[in-house]
């Protein structure tokens, strides 16, 4: 089973650059979790202790607005990861994850990862670097979205898109 998991991990961007031995170390820590349609995998407000790789099915990332409405933030599919912030931030999750259909995930605990990272510092460095790159991409996308919203309000979207190199 660990060999199958290691093959899945090879295609996950967070594990890019890891050797076969390092991937095998991570694979030994992972376990499958099965969820039924409409089942909640993670709840907003609970402490994040695991990251997940969606191996089958679809899940929705959702939050509750100040008005009490459930808002869908993203739809994740096979191969997507979520919960990776739990590896760099110990605190409550900001969104819930709900299965849209029956799904399977590989779960990896922060605690297990930290133990392996202590034994294999190169592995720990690469994974944390890859998480940092992912966070940077998300922040950049958010910045662009906020800039675009502001530019549209000021009727400056075209100039901003040219400045960002997007047009």
């Amino acid at each position: 089973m660990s060999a199958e998991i290691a093959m899945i991990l090879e295609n996950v961007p967070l594990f890019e650059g890891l050797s076969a031995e390092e991937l095998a170390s991570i694979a030994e820590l992972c376990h499958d979790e099965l969820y039924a349609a409409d089942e909640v995998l993670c709840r907003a407000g609970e402490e994040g202790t695991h990251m997940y790789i969606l191996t089958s099915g679809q899940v929705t990332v959702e939050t509750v607005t100040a008005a009490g409405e459930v808002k869908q933030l993203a739809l994740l599919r096979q191969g997507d990861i979520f919960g990776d912030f739990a590896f760099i931030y110990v605190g409550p999750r900001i969104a819930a994850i709900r299965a849209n259909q029956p799904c399977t995930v590989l779960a990896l605990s922060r605690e297990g990862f930290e133990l392996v990272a202590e034994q294999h510092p190169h592995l720990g460095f690469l994974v944390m670097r890859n998480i940092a790159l992912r966070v940077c991409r998300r922040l950049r996308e958010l910045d662009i979205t906020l800039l675009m919203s502001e530019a549209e309000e000021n009727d400056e979207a075209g100039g901003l898109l040219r400045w960002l190199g997007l047009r």
Side-chain angles (χ1 to χ4, degrees), residues 12-14 51-52 76 79-85 127-141:
V12 175
L14 287 189
M51 68 158 277
Y52 302 90
L76 304 179
D80 286 336
I81 57 175
F82 57 93
D84 46 314
F85 280 20
V127 172
M128 287 302 178
R129 181 202 65 192
N130 292 338
I131 290 173
L133 289 170
R134 185 170 153 92
V135 170
C136 287
R137 275 192 296 275
R138 286 181 179 170
L139 288 172
R140 184 173 173 83
E141 290 169 6

Side-chain angles (χ1 to χ4, degrees), residues 1-10 15 18-32 50 53 87 106-117 119-120 123:
M1 181 69 161
S2 286
E4 290 175 27
I5 293 173
M7 286 179 24
I8 292 169
L9 298 180
E10 282 180 3
F15 304 114
L18 296 183
S19 68
E21 179 184 315
E22 291 168 329
L23 285 170
S25 295
I26 297 288
E28 289 177 16
L29 300 173
C30 294
H31 64 276
D32 282 324
H50 288 74
I53 303 161
F87 280 37
L106 280 178
L108 174 62
S109 75
R110 177 180 58 233
E111 183 180 338
F113 171 77
E114 288 174 349
L115 290 173
V116 167
Q119 297 168 354
H120 304 278
L123 174 155

Side-chain angles (χ1 to χ4, degrees), residues 9 16 22 29 36-37 41 47 50 55 64 74 80 84 88 97 102 109 111 116 126 134 137 144 148 156 160:
L9 298 180
E16 185 177 315
E22 291 168 329
L29 300 173
L41 288 70
E47 182 180 331
H50 288 74
T55 56
V64 177
D80 286 336
D84 46 314
I88 55 175
I97 308 292
S109 75
E111 183 180 338
V116 167
L126 286 177
R134 185 170 153 92
R137 275 192 296 275
I144 290 170
M148 289 301 302
E156 301 168 355
L160 181 60

Side-chain angles (χ1 to χ4, degrees), residues 28-94:
E28 289 177 16
L29 300 173
C30 294
H31 64 276
D32 282 324
E33 294 181 3
L34 308 171
Y35 293 91
D38 207 40
E39 191 172 354
V40 175
L41 288 70
C42 303
R43 297 187 189 308
E46 71 183 12
E47 182 180 331
T49 59
H50 288 74
M51 68 158 277
Y52 302 90
I53 303 161
L54 190 58
T55 56
S56 71
Q58 292 181 346
V59 298
T60 301
V61 181
E62 56 190 33
T63 191
V64 177
T65 67
E69 298 172 354
V70 175
K71 181 177 181 178
Q72 180 177 324
L73 302 175
L75 177 67
L76 304 179
R77 294 178 172 82
Q78 184 175 341
D80 286 336
I81 57 175
F82 57 93
D84 46 314
F85 280 20
F87 280 37
I88 55 175
Y89 173 74
V90 177
R93 295 191 187 277
I94 61 168

